[in-house]
Amino acid sequence: MLGVKGLCGFFLLCLLTVTAWTLPSVSHFSVGSAHERGSTQSKKDNSVDAPVVVTVNLQQSLSTITDHFVGVNIDMAMVRGNWSSLDFSSTKVQNMARALTPTFFRLGGGSADSVTYVLDDHYYLPTSNNSNFSMTAQQWIAVNEFVKTVGWDFIMDVNELKRNTDGSWNPDNARQLLQFSADRNYSIAGFEMGNEYDIFENKFHMTLPPAQLAKDVVDFLHLLAEFPLYYSSFVVGPETASSRPEYFQGFLAAGGHKIVRAASFHHYYFKGRDGKLSNFTDTAVLDSLAGHVDDVLNQSRSVDPQLPLWLSETSSSSGGGTPGISDRFVAGFLWLDKLGVCASKGIQTLLRQDFFGGSYPLIDHALNPNPDFWLTVLYKRIVRGAVFNATGRHDVRVYAACANTDNFDAGSLVIYTLNPNSFSVTFDLPQFQSQPRLLHSLTAGDGDGLLSKFTSLNGVKLELVNDELPDLKPESAPPGVVTVAPYSYTFLVFPAARVSICLH
Ligand SMILES: *[C@@H]1O[C@H](CO)[C@@H](O)[C@H](O)[C@H]1NC(C)=O
Ligand SMILES: *[C@@H]1O[C@H](CO)[C@@H](O)[C@H](O)[C@H]1NC(C)=O
Ligand SMILES: *[C@@H]1O[C@H](CO)[C@@H](O)[C@H](O)[C@H]1NC(C)=O
Ligand SMILES: *[C@@H]1O[C@H](CO)[C@@H](O)[C@H](O)[C@H]1NC(C)=O
Ligand SMILES: *[C@@H]1O[C@H](CO)[C@@H](O)[C@H](O)[C@H]1NC(C)=O
Ligand SMILES: *[C@@H]1O[C@H](CO)[C@@H](O)[C@H](O)[C@H]1NC(C)=O
Ligand SMILES: *[C@@H]1O[C@H](CO)[C@@H](O)[C@H](O)[C@H]1NC(C)=O
């Protein structure tokens, strides 16, 4: 809990930065103190430290992110449970899905290796969660009609375990799926083959060497060429789980780089069952991502400097997530930082595990939005275009990019910050000192603090209203320094910045 020292420190700060913060600071304080209940950390309260000076290098961009930068997954394991409670016909689900459009949507994961498409409407109940199972016509139709309705761009992870006796891939079952889909005019933007073959041996007691996968992708492209509807669909791969070069680089070097639209890999910070609350706000955990991405980028560039990179399956923790933590407000620190790091490093697309399912979904089992749903929607609405290098301080994170011109004037800049600390932090933005700004401050939505199932935007708890998203309006904040609440993340848009790179 905030001690007396913390209280004094905070109010002292408010007095010092009295600009016009009186009301917001009171609401920050009350929300901020509630956060403490979910915290296992006891950090020194240094809210009276010097402000963090943020400078953004606007002369050159690091990279550019498109409207398809953030996408979502649903794990093929959901088909084992007949889509579980995910009701594709629910207006509420469709409204939430549409809020993420445009987006790539991948249906894939480990279970893609075990499925048989049985499209004549037989249904075999799986005998166990580790065994082979079937996807029926009804299940396939349900997801495709949904994708069409909400306007998502589908990426299907096809069965790669169908092998001929000579070791080559057997395309018969995939051909049945494509024929069935083409007959119904289902558009499928892209495909993958299987999942995580670099750790395959452990799971299935067999290997699929990277050069074989590259060969299989060529066979798959030949299959796609049989269908006018799919001959221009793309493939991404090799979908590796680790950054070991043998598989990832090996696949690209074996010709993979010429046949995939993007090189794809997966990332989780830690195993779900090992996850502790403190891991989710630990800057050392945040720091572990950049090196991993550098490593993969390096491998990719050594084979093909131009090949785009996709982080095609990613979340906080692996193996379904960390129950009771990875679907709560606190998960947003790892998620938003991952978006910031990947944007800065030029990753073209990230696919969040999962839209639905597991312990890390954007929408929960009862089909209500989790905190990361709101964060993802806001990110897509606010951040798009050129990405800039911003300085910060090691215990906070600061990222900058052009603001999305669908929602903000051309030339607007967004600076987004994470404060994963138990103390408030003041940012000094000398380049934008006197400029108007639009504030989106995200804090825990109720007294459960970091473990809240809710998020507040500028102090107002976010909830659907009659199954529709509410307005996610920012509030105007006065010029000067910006103080952010303990355990908060914030998007600050400068609508009058007229950043030249953001004007074109
Ligand atoms: C799967 O769910 C659908 C829609 O709820 C239902 O019609 C169908 O009978 C279910 N199939 C099985 C095998 O439970
Ligand atoms: C599969 O796993 C789910 C959830 O983990 C469980 O509810 C279900 O009973 C399991 N099914 C079988 C057949 O073991
Ligand atoms: C699962 O299916 C694959 C091919 O679809 C087959 O090679 C494998 O033996 C099957 N595994 C089991 C346990 O039936
Ligand atoms: C097939 O779908 C596309 C859009 O995905 C649409 O433009 C086209 O008219 C459809 N064709 C038929 C025959 O329904
Ligand atoms: C998560 O926190 C626990 C408990 O503090 C720690 O032992 C573990 O190393 C942390 N995990 C990571 C990935 O930092
Ligand atoms: C990237 O690769 C080069 C050689 O290809 C190597 O010298 C460098 O250390 C690598 N960097 C990282 C971060 O792996
Ligand atoms: C960003 O700026 C910092 C400080 O000037 C510098 O150390 C760092 O290398 C820059 N990063 C990139 C990716 O340019």
Side-chain angles (χ1 to χ4, degrees), residues 349-377:
T349 289
L350 287 87
L351 303 178
R352 163 67 185 241
Q353 181 91 349
D354 273 324
F355 176 69
F356 174 89
S359 299
Y360 39 38
L362 299 186
I363 73 172
D364 70 14
H365 212 69
L367 308 180
N368 290 314
N370 281 327
D372 277 355
F373 169 77
W374 300 111
L375 178 55
T376 306
V377 169

Side-chain angles (χ1 to χ4, degrees), residues 13 280 384:
L13 180 85
F280 287 75
R384 185 182 302 170

Side-chain angles (χ1 to χ4, degrees), residues 244-403:
R244 288 199 301 267
E246 300 83 71
Y247 212 100
F248 182 82
Q249 195 172 17
F251 169 81
L252 299 177
H257 77 104
K258 294 192 202 118
I259 50 180
V260 293
R261 162 156 157 183
S264 60
F265 66 108
H266 301 172
H267 175 268
Y268 297 87
Y269 293 93
F270 43 84
K271 289 197 175 94
R273 64 172 177 275
D274 299 339
K276 301 279 180 283
L277 177 59
S278 59
N279 300 144
F280 287 75
T281 52
D282 184 351
T283 50
V285 173
L286 299 182
D287 285 342
S288 65
L289 174 63
H292 183 87
V293 174
D294 283 344
D295 196 17
V296 174
L297 270 170
N298 214 13
Q299 291 177 40
S300 176
R301 285 178 181 157
S302 74
V303 177
D304 183 344
Q306 305 305 323
L307 192 63
L309 236 78
W310 281 26
L311 181 43
S312 52
E313 187 194 295
T314 192
S315 203
S316 49
S317 57
S318 60
T322 306
I325 305 181
S326 55
D327 59 349
R328 304 304 169 92
F329 175 77
V330 72
F333 292 103
L334 292 176
W335 180 225
L336 183 57
D337 193 62
K338 181 169 282 183
L339 295 173
V341 168
C342 289
S344 303
K345 292 191 180 292
I347 299 293
Q348 192 176 68
T349 289
L350 287 87
L351 303 178
R352 163 67 185 241
Q353 181 91 349
D354 273 324
F355 176 69
F356 174 89
S359 299
Y360 39 38
L362 299 186
I363 73 172
D364 70 14
H365 212 69
L367 308 180
N368 290 314
N370 281 327
D372 277 355
F373 169 77
W374 300 111
L375 178 55
T376 306
V377 169
L378 280 166
Y379 193 92
K380 290 182 81 95
R381 290 189 181 180
I382 301 171
V383 189
R384 185 182 302 170
V387 176
F388 302 102
N389 191 4
T391 62
R393 192 173 73 189
H394 188 254
D395 60 346
V396 295
R397 296 295 138 114
V398 183
Y399 300 98
C402 298

Side-chain angles (χ1 to χ4, degrees), residues 11 17 40 66 89 96 103 139 269 304 326 337 358 383 398 421:
F11 284 129
T17 59
T40 59
T66 69
S89 64
M96 288 187 284
T103 185
Q139 290 163 340
Y269 293 93
D304 183 344
S326 55
D337 193 62
V383 189
V398 183
N421 302 293

Side-chain angles (χ1 to χ4, degrees), residues 431-449:
Q431 291 159 289
F432 313 100
Q433 198 68 34
S434 58
Q435 290 199 15
R437 65 281 308 269
L438 299 169
L439 174 76
H440 315 70
S441 167
L442 296 170
T443 53
D446 66 14
D448 290 337

